[in-house]
């Protein structure tokens, strides 16, 4: 049986735990009601933690001042999923308090009384700080730690949301430290509405800052005012406690660690070292992506962790942020450059995802072509300069019409040390290995594209009849002539979808409308390499996802999903770049696919622990 106050009573409710509170129970809340203020405080406090989370996750701003360089993995994300439990508990207890006879209604209180702030500060320093310090030290005793505090310390990398992750006992301790100063001010007749907001939001602001894992206070401030070191903690200070667990127990004021003999001697040196900016480690591998569309632009770690840690979908909760996303799109179009989005480690090697600040539709604007290529080129040159081994181009960044599948950059800069890779060889391998071994014929759209050509040439060698949908006889014949003479008969040009009405294996490299899909016979499986994927309109058919592979099990620090991919799964072109790096291949993989290398790349992927998704 679990110890008392070690688990949350509403844990089984999942996402429904806040429904009643957020809906207000269907009641209309009067403006002068404490209930309205409780609801406003719940949201304002939550947004405070979200603000700090977003800032600390903006790696393009904070990467050099991160205290712990490791990434937050899915395990930690799931552990901290209900980080706002403490806010819900405190709001419920607050509802009981405001419903009692001791607290006057808001209309009987002033908006602000400075005497209340003085009382709150005195009680915070004289009561909250020492009580939290003593209770926190007690929680690190063997028995209490195991029952009540170990879960909190199981998060390897602190984040603002980690501050709220814990047991009900820990949440009650925090409520005691905030409640007593406020209660004292109200009992002395100096309480005000503004005081509740200022104290609670300042409390949450400092908690979020301390857990942010990003150093934000200059060491020069502490050098100019040495006593300040004992009045305010820093992210480095808290991070040492989280890792070593035997020092730095204070709430916000290291003075109590000094008095208690538990101040870690490394605290200020680490703070200075972190704020000055650690020497940035160059990634070994970079996956260069671009934004797909407005909605998916919010599927990044620095917006909402609960969204980015699951496969992308158009959630209604994102709609209010749509105008902000549009504004950022315009801002990026005007004055942004390639930026760091996320990272993970694989066998001790740093892998990063960079993004070109352009959305998918912009790649089809003729006037934008040169600007996009310039952005990609600058990213390639930067990667080359800092020592990246392999840079893999994603989606439209390797578009044949844009830059010849990457050949533009390799031809322009023949001295490049970084290997530029489009990764499509592995994409082709994934698609080809999904095709049933007993298939006799396939229907191929996007047949004369880079991928379509490679798929057709590979399949004809297997004596599989390939119906290549194309209106261009010239392009078809060019591909057919590339096949060995004895296999050319297996490549057949077709110009209408009706030609495939008896074929149950469709390989889709071009968008299909519902009308075009209707020509497929019942039981057809649609393999895809078209972006975005086609919509499945046929209930009597099955639809494959985009070519993808699951990263090896020893990947570390991965806590966000790649677009619509499942956790731990990446697009095949991403995986292709990873294989290129792990194998140490010295050639660029740009332009047309080498059909002879498809099986080579596939076997290499399996050898290194990547598996089909």
């Amino acid at each position: 049986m679990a110890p008392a106050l070690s688990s949350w009573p509403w844990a089984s409710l999942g996402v429904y735990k806040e429904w009643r509170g957020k809906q207000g129970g269907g009641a209309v809340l009067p403006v002068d009601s404490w209930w309205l203020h409780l609801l406003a405080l719940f949201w304002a406090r939550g947004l405070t933690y979200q603000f700090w989370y977003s800032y600390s996750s903006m790696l393009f701003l904070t990467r050099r001042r991160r205290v712990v360089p490791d990434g937050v993995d899915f395990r930690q994300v799931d552990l901290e999923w209900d980080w706002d439990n403490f806010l819900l508990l405190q709001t419920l207890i607050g509802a009981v308090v405001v419903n009692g006879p001791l607290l006057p209604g808001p209309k009987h209180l002033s908006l602000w009384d400075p005497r209340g702030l003085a009382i709150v500060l005195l009680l915070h320093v004289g009561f909250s700080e020492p009580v939290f310090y003593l209770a926190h030290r007690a929680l690190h005793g063997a028995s209490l730690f195991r029952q009540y505090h170990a879960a909190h310390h199981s998060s390897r990398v602190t984040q603002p949301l980690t501050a709220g992750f814990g047991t009900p006992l820990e949440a009650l301790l925090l409520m005691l430290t905030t409640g007593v100063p406020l209660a004292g001010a109200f009992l002395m007749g100096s309480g005000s509405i503004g005081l509740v907001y200022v104290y609670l939001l300042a409390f949450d602001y400092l908690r979020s800052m301390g857990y942010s894992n990003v150093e934000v206070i200059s060491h020069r401030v502490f050098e100019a005012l040495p006593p300040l070191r004992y009045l305010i903690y820093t992210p480095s200070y808290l991070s040492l406690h989280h890792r070593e667990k035997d020092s730095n127990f204070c709430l916000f004021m290291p003075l109590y660690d000094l008095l208690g003999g538990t101040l870690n001697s490394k605290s200020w040196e680490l703070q200075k070292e972190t704020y000055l900016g650690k020497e940035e480690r160059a990634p070994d591998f970079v996956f260069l992506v671009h934004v797909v569309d407005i909605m998916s632009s919010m599927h990044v770690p620095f917006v909402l962790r609960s969204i980015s840690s699951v496969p992308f979908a158009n959630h209604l909760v994102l709609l209010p942020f749509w105008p902000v996303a549009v504004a950022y799109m315009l801002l990026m179009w005007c004055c942004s450059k390639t930026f760091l989005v996320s990272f993970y480690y694989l066998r001790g090697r740093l892998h990063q995802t960079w993004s070109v600040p352009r959305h998918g539709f912009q790649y089809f604007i003729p006037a934008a072509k040169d600007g996009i290529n310039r952005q990609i080129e600058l990213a390639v040159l930067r990667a080359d300069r800092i020592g990246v081994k392999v840079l893999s181009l994603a989606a439209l960044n390797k578009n044949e019409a844009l830059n010849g599948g990457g050949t533009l950059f390799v031809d322009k800069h023949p001295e490049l040390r970084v290997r530029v890779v489009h990764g499509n060889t592995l994409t082709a391998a994934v698609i080809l290995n999904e095709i049933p071994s007993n298939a006799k014929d396939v229907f191929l759209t996007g047949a004369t594209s880079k991928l379509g050509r490679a798929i057709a040439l590979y399949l004809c060698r297997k004596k599989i009849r390939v119906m290549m949908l194309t209106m261009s006889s010239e392009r078809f014949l060019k591909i057919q002539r590339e096949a060995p003479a004895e296999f050319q008969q297996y490549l057949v040009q077709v110009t209408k979808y009706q030609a495939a009405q008896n074929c149950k294996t469709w390989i889709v490299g071009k968008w299909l409308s519902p009308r075009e899909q209707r020509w497929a016979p019942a039981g057809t499986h649609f393999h895809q390499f078209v972006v975005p994927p086609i919509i499945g309109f046929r209930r009597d058919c099955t639809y494959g996802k985009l070519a993808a592979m699951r990263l090896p099990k020893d990947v570390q620090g991965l806590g966000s999903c790649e677009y619509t991919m499942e956790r731990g799964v990446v697009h095949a072109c991403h995986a292709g770049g990873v294989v290129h790096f792990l194998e140490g291949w010295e050639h660029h993989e740009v332009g047309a696919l080498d059909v002879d290398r498809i099986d080579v790349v596939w076997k290499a992927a399996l050898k290194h622990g990547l598996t089909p998704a």
Side-chain angles (χ1 to χ4, degrees), residues 145-168:
F145 183 84
R146 183 178 64 256
Q147 294 177 351
Y148 294 103
H149 202 45
H152 179 74
H153 275 273
S154 65
S155 296
R156 295 182 65 252
V157 183
T158 61
Q159 288 197 308
L161 307 188
T162 310
F165 171 53
T167 59

Side-chain angles (χ1 to χ4, degrees), residues 69-322:
D70 300 334
V72 175
D73 57 21
F74 289 118
R75 173 193 152 279
Q76 180 173 336
V77 171
D78 289 339
L79 278 174
E80 298 175 356
W81 193 269
D82 293 313
W83 65 272
D84 57 349
N85 273 335
F86 84 103
L87 284 177
L88 188 56
L89 177 65
Q90 293 179 8
T91 302
L92 290 173
I93 294 176
V96 174
V97 172
V98 302
N99 222 24
L102 299 178
L103 192 65
K107 63 182 179 182
H108 300 297
L109 294 172
S110 61
L111 187 63
W112 179 251
D113 186 339
R115 295 173 300 172
L117 180 61
I119 294 170
V120 160
L121 289 176
L122 286 172
L123 287 173
H124 178 87
V125 174
F127 175 83
S128 299
E129 288 284 349
V131 166
F132 181 90
Y133 173 79
L134 293 172
H136 195 182
R137 282 196 69 172
L139 282 173
H140 277 259
S143 177
L144 288 177
F145 183 84
R146 183 178 64 256
Q147 294 177 351
Y148 294 103
H149 202 45
H152 179 74
H153 275 273
S154 65
S155 296
R156 295 182 65 252
V157 183
T158 61
Q159 288 197 308
L161 307 188
T162 310
F165 171 53
T167 59
L169 180 65
E170 293 166 302
L172 290 172
L173 172 61
L174 287 173
M175 187 159 194
L176 179 68
T177 59
T178 56
V180 168
L182 287 174
F186 276 94
L187 289 173
M188 293 181 190
S190 300
S192 63
I193 297 172
L195 180 64
V196 177
Y197 281 88
V198 168
Y199 181 59
L200 289 180
L201 293 179
F203 189 95
D204 291 325
Y205 186 89
L206 290 175
R207 287 264 297 167
S208 303
M209 182 269 289
Y211 277 86
S212 67
N213 193 41
V214 176
E215 200 54 71
V216 292
I217 304 176
S218 173
H219 64 286
R220 295 186 181 89
V221 174
F222 295 113
E223 290 172 354
L225 299 168
L228 195 61
R229 291 178 175 176
Y230 305 105
L231 299 180
I232 184 70
Y233 75 161
T234 67
S236 302
Y237 191 92
L238 186 134
S239 184
L240 278 172
H241 165 76
H242 227 260
R243 281 181 287 165
E244 301 185 5
K245 303 181 182 69
D246 60 356
S247 58
N248 294 6
F249 294 100
C250 75
L251 179 56
F252 302 135
M253 299 176 64
L255 171 65
Y256 290 92
D257 277 307
L258 179 67
L259 296 174
T262 54
L263 197 154
N264 194 310
S265 60
K266 296 179 285 187
S267 300
W268 310 118
E269 189 59 37
L270 177 62
Q271 192 275 335
K272 179 179 180 179
E273 174 189 321
T274 306
Y275 184 81
L276 287 174
K278 299 177 180 178
E279 184 176 350
E280 190 173 358
R281 175 179 174 178
D284 298 284
F285 167 77
V286 167
F287 185 48
L288 186 63
V289 304
H290 62 79
V291 186
V292 177
D293 53 34
I294 298 294
M295 292 299 286
S296 67
S297 70
M298 293 177 272
H299 188 256
V300 286
F302 53 83
V303 178
L304 292 171
R305 191 170 75 174
S306 58
I307 298 294
S308 65
S309 61
V310 295
F312 172 73
N314 286 307
H315 296 280
L316 290 176
V317 71
L318 295 176
L319 287 178
F321 300 100
W322 196 86

Side-chain angles (χ1 to χ4, degrees), residues 324-506:
V324 178
V326 172
Y328 269 100
M329 177 199 70
L330 296 174
L331 182 64
M332 287 195 301
W333 201 348
C334 294
C335 55
S336 184
K337 60 182 180 180
T338 298
F339 58 93
L340 172 62
V341 177
S342 62
F343 70 94
Y344 62 86
Y345 290 91
L346 182 61
R347 294 161 195 169
R349 301 292 189 168
L350 177 59
H351 294 213
Q352 291 183 346
T353 295
W354 298 357
S355 179
V356 174
R358 295 293 183 270
H359 289 58
F361 76 90
Q362 293 168 311
Y363 283 73
F364 300 98
I365 301 175
K369 177 180 177 180
D370 290 342
I372 292 172
N373 274 331
R374 182 57 179 162
Q375 290 275 356
I376 299 171
E377 181 181 11
L378 289 174
V380 171
L381 293 176
R382 177 187 167 208
D384 188 65
R385 185 174 66 252
I386 65 177
V388 175
K389 304 297 190 301
V390 174
L391 182 142
S392 184
L393 301 171
L396 296 173
N397 286 335
K398 58 192 173 195
N399 184 277
E400 198 70 27
L402 182 70
N403 51 46
T407 56
L408 173 68
F409 314 114
V410 173
D411 292 344
K412 187 175 180 180
H413 302 283
E415 74 288 351
L416 285 174
R417 291 167 298 172
V418 62
R419 302 296 96 178
V420 180
V421 174
H422 55 47
N424 281 346
T425 307
L426 186 56
T427 302
V430 171
I431 295 169
L432 289 165
N433 278 276
E434 291 176 351
I435 296 173
S437 58
N438 61 348
K440 299 299 181 183
D441 55 5
V442 301
F443 178 62
L444 178 63
T445 72
T448 59
S449 66
K450 182 167 53 184
L451 261 172
R453 165 194 163 274
I455 290 170
L457 290 173
Y458 184 94
L459 288 175
C460 77
R461 295 181 185 183
K462 302 291 183 181
K463 296 184 179 181
I464 296 175
R465 181 169 172 264
V466 183
M467 291 177 281
M468 300 174 63
L469 180 69
T470 177
M471 301 301 293
S472 173
S473 297
E474 180 183 354
R475 297 181 70 178
F476 167 76
L477 290 172
K478 182 180 179 182
I479 294 173
Q480 189 182 46
R481 292 190 192 105
E482 289 187 65
E486 66 271 26
F487 300 121
Q488 290 181 7
Q489 60 179 312
Y490 293 100
L491 298 180
V492 180
Q493 180 186 7
V494 297
T495 58
K496 295 181 179 180
Y497 289 92
Q498 292 93 313
Q501 57 187 326
N502 295 315
C503 178
K504 292 188 176 182
T505 302
W506 285 38

